[in-house]
Amino acid sequence: MSQSGATVSQACITAYSELKLGKTLKYIIFKLSDNYKEIEVEHSSDSKDYEEFRDLLINATSKNRAGTVGKGPRYAVYDFEYNLASGEGSRSKIAFIAWSPDDAGIQPKMIYASSKEALKRSLNGIATELQANDPDDIEYDTIIKVISKGTAA
C-alpha cells in the first residue's frame, strides 16, 4: 500500500509481466482510479509507435476530489530498444516514467507522488526511472540519451 493508501491492482502486475517476460507489450500506462484507492492499467499496447504512447501521456486527464477534470499525472513503463553506437549490438531497457505535467492540478499531483513507490515496488526489473513534467521531458531522443547513458547510436 502507498502513503496515499492506494493499492496496486493485480492487473498492473500481470500486464507488467507480459511486457517484461512475455515481450507481448511495448508499454503500459497506469492511472489511479477515480476514487484514488487503486492503481490500475489504463492502457497497454504492443505498438512500437512512440508518438502514440507520448500523446496518451500528454493528453491524460484526472478528476480532483471536487470532480473537476484537468490535465492528469500518470505512471508508465516502456520497453526501449536501441542500438549501441559502438556497433556492439542492441539493448533493451525498461523505463518507469512518472508523468506529472506542470499544469496538472495540485491534488492529483500530490496523490500520484505519494503512490508512486507502491507501484515501483510491485514492478521488478525497472532499469531507469524518469520524472517528466513537460512534453520535452518525454521526447524519444531525450529518454534514449538518459537510459543508454549516451551509448545509443
Side-chain angles (χ1 to χ4, degrees):
M1 187 179 298
S2 69
Q3 291 176 344
S4 69
T7 59
V8 178
S9 77
Q10 184 59 44
C12 295
I13 297 163
T14 301
Y16 181 71
S17 181
E18 289 175 26
L19 180 139
K20 181 183 174 194
L21 303 174
K23 296 290 185 183
T24 56
L25 295 175
K26 187 70 175 166
Y27 65 84
I28 308 163
I29 298 174
F30 305 96
K31 72 177 214 113
L32 280 162
S33 59
D34 287 342
N35 64 5
Y36 294 106
K37 297 292 183 201
E38 186 174 53
I39 300 169
E40 55 194 25
V41 174
E42 179 179 46
H43 190 83
S44 61
S45 178
D46 62 355
S47 172
K48 294 184 180 190
D49 183 352
Y50 185 79
E51 286 307 311
E52 173 186 297
F53 164 77
R54 188 173 175 271
D55 288 344
L56 287 168
L57 286 180
I58 290 171
N59 296 312
T61 60
S62 288
K63 288 182 184 175
N64 64 19
R65 293 194 198 261
T68 306
V69 176
K71 292 274 188 177
R74 290 293 185 273
Y75 313 113
V77 289
Y78 194 99
D79 189 2
F80 286 93
E81 296 174 25
Y82 59 93
N83 292 315
L84 295 172
S86 63
E88 296 175 9
S90 62
R91 298 288 185 268
S92 174
K93 288 191 179 176
I94 298 171
F96 180 90
I97 301 169
W99 169 248
S100 187
D102 289 330
D103 53 354
I106 291 172
Q107 185 180 27
K109 285 169 65 168
M110 288 174 48
I111 296 170
Y112 269 81
S114 65
S115 302
K116 178 176 73 171
E117 288 305 315
L119 179 60
K120 277 183 44 191
R121 277 194 305 274
S122 300
L123 309 177
N124 296 321
I126 302 282
T128 304
E129 178 186 345
L130 300 152
Q131 176 65 47
N133 304 92
D134 182 88
D136 290 344
D137 296 341
I138 52 175
E139 287 285 345
Y140 185 81
D141 292 342
T142 303
I143 292 178
I144 286 293
K145 283 178 189 166
V146 172
I147 65 168
S148 72
K149 297 181 173 79
T151 62

